[in-house]
Amino acid sequence: MQIINIPSLFLLYSAISFFTSILLQSLFHGRKDASANLWIWSCLLSAIATFGTVFREYVPPLIGYTLMVALETVAMLLQSTSLTNLYKNNKSIFPPSGIYLLIIFLFVQYVLIYVGEGKVTPLMSAFTAVSWMLVSFYNTRSSLKVVKIFENNYFIKFLMYLFFVIGLLYAIRTFNIVIGYAYLAFDQKLYNIIVYFCIFIFGTTRNVLYLPLRMHLAYSEHSRLNNLNIRLTNSLDERSKMISTLNKLNKNASINSLASSVAHEINQPLGAMKLDTELALKITNEYPESTTDLKETLASLNINIDRASKYISNLAKLSQNSSEQNQTTSINQVLNSVINISEARCKKSGIQIKNNNHHNIFINAIQSQVEQVFLNLLNNSIEELEISKSLNPMILVTTSVINNTIQISIEDNGRGVNLGGSESLFAITHSTKVTGSGIGLWLSKNILSQFDAQIWYESVNTGGSKFIVQFPYCK
């Protein structure tokens, strides 16, 4: 009594392959996963082929043998394509060369059926065994390519070894046929049973292994994405630090560009204060009874002290490293502050600056950072007008409420930006100035984005540049 029956092994293999395809289908249902779908079809075709082989004696050899052999060949080729689709999606099931080889395989099988007068011959069995051996080695080669793609490739390596071992088993099966030991698949001879038992074990493991393979790859992908998220978070932190550093550098650069003008403007009230002081001392010494002149002199001294104090206060507030939080900020106060700072330089260069700001409008932002943005825009306009030497140089600052947004425009009558150059104005390191750092506008855009604000450039028909800053309306 035979302990192991080869037809029973075929039926068990068929059942396991069928249920594997059902399980995979339930797991990947509705997902456009080319690799999984190809493996499902591979298991299903293999189940049909082995089941049909068991009962092939009840149908003509053309169907019972040739068709079943062809289905098993297709099933094996599908597994190779399935693994390839783990990292790329092919629109076709086989490459053209694979289709041509399959057609040749079927043609040779039909010829051998005809030569064998409709019976299974040793030559037919040998040809089938050699074909499956070559397909198994081909799958081994394909798996090796996939192994090199994935970092976590333990299961793919296991599959590669299984393909190779199955190829060796078909080589042994071919040897048994050639030496005349057993050419029929169901020959109940010891070595034939051992070969098919091993093919059953390794083939079943090969088909089922796809499930843990995908689970492992999914886990590895999840871990990879977690690592990417960590690296992305670190990169964002570094970006924030870089922006903070550039923020300070740009702020210092803005103040430095105003330094000579501001120093000149402060020297004026200081000089006047010195004269007022000397006059007050002279009045006190020579005309002690003239209190009216003394009061006027002291009033003038007080005004000049306020002027100097105002400039120093505005500069100190602008240059400080503030850790303020968003708060309701008056646009009037912001613009008046930066215009007051820039006014001295404008006077020195003969630039007229107009502030058309008639609304008491508020935004939700950090005042010192918004001041830096507008100071940067004003500096750009002043520098452009100083270089271009325009007639009647002018800067126009306008505030308006449009479609529930607040728009502040800074417009000058300089040379403007060349057509097509405006798209890259806000790119880092881009500068239209010979000595420009290229971070001013880029940094301004980043600062404004924190407050859901936007900035863009518009050309002016009469020449010049116009930058518009838009904030959400704060009620």
Side-chain angles (χ1 to χ4, degrees), residues 23-265:
L23 178 60
L24 289 173
Q25 176 62 27
S26 65
L27 293 174
F28 290 92
H29 179 69
R31 294 172 56 182
K32 295 181 179 179
D33 192 310
S35 175
N37 291 333
L38 288 172
W39 200 274
I40 290 168
W41 276 106
S42 169
C43 291
L44 188 60
L45 292 178
S46 186
I48 294 172
T50 50
F51 183 83
T53 301
V54 174
F55 300 100
R56 70 186 182 193
E57 60 186 36
Y58 300 105
V59 293
L62 191 62
I63 298 175
Y65 184 84
T66 305
L67 183 59
M68 296 303 107
V69 165
L71 287 178
E72 181 63 25
T73 305
V74 171
M76 295 172 70
L77 288 171
L78 284 177
Q79 291 183 339
S80 171
T81 313
S82 172
L83 292 180
T84 304
N85 273 270
L86 286 173
Y87 65 92
K88 65 178 181 179
N89 283 318
N90 295 323
K91 293 182 179 179
S92 59
I93 295 176
F94 301 122
S97 57
I99 296 175
Y100 298 147
L101 288 173
L102 186 60
I103 292 173
I104 294 172
F105 176 81
L106 287 172
F107 176 75
V108 173
Q109 287 287 1
Y110 285 136
V111 171
L112 293 176
I113 284 284
Y114 177 78
V115 172
E117 298 179 350
K119 297 179 180 179
V120 177
T121 63
L123 186 58
M124 290 172 59
S125 295
F127 178 73
T128 299
V130 169
S131 299
W132 289 351
M133 176 190 69
L134 294 176
V135 171
S136 296
F137 288 150
Y138 172 77
N139 287 355
T140 304
R141 179 174 173 273
S142 299
S143 302
L144 181 60
K145 291 182 179 179
V146 181
V147 165
K148 295 177 180 178
I149 299 294
F150 290 92
E151 184 177 350
N152 297 295
N153 50 26
Y154 309 112
F155 284 98
I156 303 174
K157 279 185 179 179
F158 192 16
L159 266 176
M160 180 183 70
Y161 296 141
L162 286 175
F163 284 132
F164 182 73
V165 170
I166 291 172
L168 291 179
L169 289 170
Y170 281 121
I172 296 172
R173 166 70 181 151
T174 302
F175 177 76
N176 287 340
I177 296 171
V178 170
I179 64 174
Y181 178 73
Y183 76 90
L184 291 175
F186 296 155
D187 281 346
Q188 292 295 113
K189 295 182 178 179
L190 178 61
Y191 293 121
N192 200 44
I193 293 174
I194 292 174
V195 168
Y196 273 109
F197 179 76
C198 292
I199 290 175
F200 162 75
I201 294 296
F202 292 115
T204 302
T205 306
R206 173 198 61 194
N207 291 350
V208 176
L209 191 65
Y210 185 81
L211 182 58
L213 163 65
R214 292 304 301 268
M215 293 174 65
H216 175 71
L217 290 180
Y219 174 77
S220 300
E221 182 67 11
H222 179 71
S223 299
R224 187 181 69 86
L225 290 176
N226 279 341
N227 291 333
L228 284 176
N229 285 334
I230 293 171
R231 288 199 294 270
L232 180 60
T233 301
N234 292 336
S235 297
L236 290 175
D237 289 341
E238 290 176 4
R239 176 182 178 273
S240 298
K241 292 178 182 177
M242 181 189 72
I243 291 176
S244 177
T245 302
L246 291 176
N247 196 348
K248 295 174 185 177
L249 289 173
N250 190 60
K251 185 180 291 184
N252 292 334
S254 298
I255 295 171
N256 289 337
S257 66
L258 290 169
S260 59
S261 299
V262 172
H264 173 73
E265 190 67 18

Side-chain angles (χ1 to χ4, degrees), residues 399-417:
T399 304
S400 55
V401 179
I402 302 174
N403 296 330
N404 208 31
T405 63
I406 302 165
Q407 292 188 4
I408 303 98
S409 65
I410 310 290
E411 180 180 343
D412 64 61
N413 59 349
R415 297 168 299 178
V417 177

Side-chain angles (χ1 to χ4, degrees), residues 204-393:
T204 302
T205 306
R206 173 198 61 194
N207 291 350
V208 176
L209 191 65
Y210 185 81
L211 182 58
L213 163 65
R214 292 304 301 268
M215 293 174 65
H216 175 71
L217 290 180
Y219 174 77
S220 300
E221 182 67 11
H222 179 71
S223 299
R224 187 181 69 86
L225 290 176
N226 279 341
N227 291 333
L228 284 176
N229 285 334
I230 293 171
R231 288 199 294 270
L232 180 60
T233 301
N234 292 336
S235 297
L236 290 175
D237 289 341
E238 290 176 4
R239 176 182 178 273
S240 298
K241 292 178 182 177
M242 181 189 72
I243 291 176
S244 177
T245 302
L246 291 176
N247 196 348
K248 295 174 185 177
L249 289 173
N250 190 60
K251 185 180 291 184
N252 292 334
S254 298
I255 295 171
N256 289 337
S257 66
L258 290 169
S260 59
S261 299
V262 172
H264 173 73
E265 190 67 18
I266 292 177
N267 280 332
Q268 284 184 333
L270 287 176
M273 288 161 60
K274 181 176 176 60
L275 292 174
D276 289 337
T277 304
E278 290 174 352
L279 181 58
L281 289 173
K282 184 177 181 180
I283 292 171
T284 302
N285 292 330
E286 297 180 8
Y287 309 99
E289 70 284 354
S290 180
T291 57
T292 302
D293 291 340
L294 183 60
K295 286 180 180 179
E296 289 178 356
T297 303
L298 291 175
S300 176
L301 178 62
N302 190 54
I303 290 171
N304 286 313
I305 290 173
D306 287 342
R307 282 177 59 195
S309 176
K310 187 175 182 180
Y311 277 104
I312 294 170
S313 175
N314 285 336
L315 282 174
K317 182 177 65 176
L318 186 66
S319 61
Q320 66 186 357
N321 293 328
S322 175
S323 57
E324 303 172 63
Q325 298 297 318
N326 280 19
Q327 58 186 358
T328 302
T329 302
S330 168
I331 280 292
N332 273 351
Q333 187 176 344
V334 169
L335 294 176
N336 288 337
S337 176
V338 296
I339 289 173
N340 181 264
I341 293 173
S342 305
E343 213 164 20
R345 186 177 176 186
C346 287
K347 287 179 182 179
K348 185 178 179 182
S349 301
I351 300 170
Q352 184 181 3
I353 183 166
K354 289 185 177 181
N355 183 14
N356 293 339
N357 185 13
H358 308 296
H359 309 279
N360 193 19
I361 302 172
F362 296 88
I363 58 173
N364 188 29
I366 298 175
Q367 182 171 336
S368 61
Q369 292 193 16
V370 176
E371 285 176 349
Q372 183 188 342
V373 170
F374 286 112
L375 182 60
N376 185 62
L377 293 176
L378 283 174
N379 272 342
N380 287 346
S381 291
I382 293 169
E383 289 175 9
E384 166 58 25
L385 292 172
E386 287 175 341
I387 295 171
S388 64
K389 301 187 182 300
S390 302
L391 294 175
N392 302 316

